[in-house]
Structure formats: C-alpha cells, structure tokens
C-alpha cells in the first residue's frame, strides 16, 4: 500500500436545509484499497458519493484528489472541464439510475464518447 493517499476526505457534510444528507465523513483511500460504503436506505450513501463525484458540492469539508502531477487538488475548486476530464480518465462512477449519468438529449454514441 502506498503511503500517499489517492483521495483524502475531511469532515465532509451535506445539508438540505435542516435535513442531514451526511455529516463529518472523513477517510483516506490509498492505491490498491477498496472502500465499501454501506448503510440503511436513507443513511446518506448516495449523498456522500454524489459529493465525492462532484455532482453535489458539500456544505462543508474538503475532498482532495492526488492528481497525476503529484499535487492534491480540492475537487470543489476545480473547473467543470477539469472535473469532467478527471471523471473520464481516473474515476469511474456507476449510477443507480442510468439517467443520472447519461445526457438523455444526445445519442448513445455521444454518451459513450463522454
């Protein structure tokens, strides 16, 4: 296992008004590790993964990724094009509902190209 984490999540919370999506989640993920996020329905798994994938911005906390240039970048401060590139090259995300991950107004080929 590498001493340098690929992903550092520090005190990530997401609130929907007064409702809690997830609160104070922290972990590090190292190369070669597998992390399972488990919990009851409504416990915040999808909210957390949406924050990690930048589909939602967390209400608080920091999500840093170890980029190919060796630097850590806070995902919330990356531009849209840079985040989309990261999702196409380094990350994979399988949505529960396929429509959440596809652009339904373009062809299947355009979605695959993305």
């Amino acid at each position: 296992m590498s001493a340098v984490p690929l992903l550092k999540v520090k005190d990530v919370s997401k609130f929907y008004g007064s409702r809690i999506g997830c609160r104070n989640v922290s972990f590090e993920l190292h190369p070669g590790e597998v992390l399972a996020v488990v919990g009851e329905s409504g416990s915040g798994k999808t909210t957390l993964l949406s924050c990690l994938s930048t589909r939602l911005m967390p209400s608080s906390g920091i999500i840093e990724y170890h980029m190919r240039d060796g630097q850590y970048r806070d995902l919330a401060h990356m531009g849209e094009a840079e985040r989309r590139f990261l999702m196409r090259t380094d990350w994979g995300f399988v949505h529960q509902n396929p429509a959440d991950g596809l652009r339904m107004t373009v062809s299947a080929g355009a979605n695959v190209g993305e």
Side-chain angles (χ1 to χ4, degrees), residues 27-101:
F27 65 88
E28 291 184 347
L29 185 64
H30 293 260
E33 284 187 323
V34 175
L35 175 70
V37 179
V38 296
E40 296 179 10
S41 180
S43 64
K45 301 178 302 291
T46 299
T47 296
L48 174 62
L49 292 174
S50 292
C51 289
L52 296 177
S53 71
T54 70
R55 290 182 61 81
L56 286 176
M57 286 297 130
S59 301
S60 62
I62 298 172
I63 303 168
E64 294 181 312
Y65 183 69
H66 191 247
M67 303 296 286
R68 293 178 182 204
D69 65 3
Q71 301 297 310
Y72 282 98
R73 295 285 309 279
D74 182 349
L75 297 182
H77 292 101
M78 295 173 95
E80 176 66 22
E82 193 173 19
R83 284 196 309 265
R84 289 175 68 85
F85 179 78
L86 182 64
M87 297 304 155
R88 287 193 316 266
T89 58
D90 291 22
W91 291 34
F93 191 94
V94 178
H95 297 273
Q96 284 179 292
N97 178 359
D100 290 342

